[in-house]
Amino acid sequence: MNAPRREETGTTSAKLLYRPVGLVSSLIGGLVAGQIFKQVYKRVAPGDRKDAPGPLQSEYGLGEVLVAALIQGAIYASVKALIDRGGARAFQRVTGDWPGS
C-alpha cells in the first residue's frame, strides 16, 4: 500500500514567479491539445471528415457534436494536467519551491 503523500505548499513568491511559466505552458498545452484532438478526430470520425463539428453547424446531429466535444474536453483536460504538473515539478527542481497552494 502506498504511503500518503505529503502535501506541498508554495510560498507567495513562488506562486508569483510561477505565473508567467504557467501562462506560457498553458498556451503551449492548448496548441498541443488542439493538434492531438485533430489527429484523433480524423481517425475516429465516420467518413472522410477532417474537422470536428461545431455546435452551430446544422449539418451534424447533436450526438456527433456531443461526442466530439467529449473527446476534445478529455484531451484538453489530460494535456493540461500533464503540462501543469510537469511545469510545477520543473519549477520546483529549479527553485526548490512548489508553486501551488
Side-chain angles (χ1 to χ4, degrees):
M1 187 169 180
N2 292 337
R5 293 190 67 125
R6 179 179 63 94
E7 183 177 332
E8 299 185 47
T9 58
T11 62
T12 303
S13 61
K15 290 176 190 179
L16 289 174
L17 286 172
Y18 182 71
R19 278 194 175 169
V21 174
L23 181 61
V24 170
S25 66
S26 290
L27 291 172
I28 292 170
L31 294 172
V32 169
Q35 292 303 312
I36 292 171
F37 173 67
K38 283 181 182 180
Q39 294 302 314
V40 168
Y41 193 80
K42 269 198 268 187
R43 286 172 175 65
V44 300
D48 293 342
R49 298 201 178 125
K50 292 183 179 169
D51 294 323
L56 299 179
Q57 292 177 302
S58 62
E59 63 269 19
Y60 298 100
L62 179 61
E64 190 171 356
V65 170
L66 290 177
V67 168
L70 179 78
I71 293 168
Q72 185 177 31
I75 290 171
Y76 272 86
S78 298
V79 169
K80 181 173 176 14
L82 286 170
I83 291 200
D84 286 350
R85 189 61 169 213
R89 287 277 178 225
F91 183 85
Q92 183 183 34
R93 280 193 294 275
V94 171
T95 65
D97 285 330
W98 184 255
S101 56

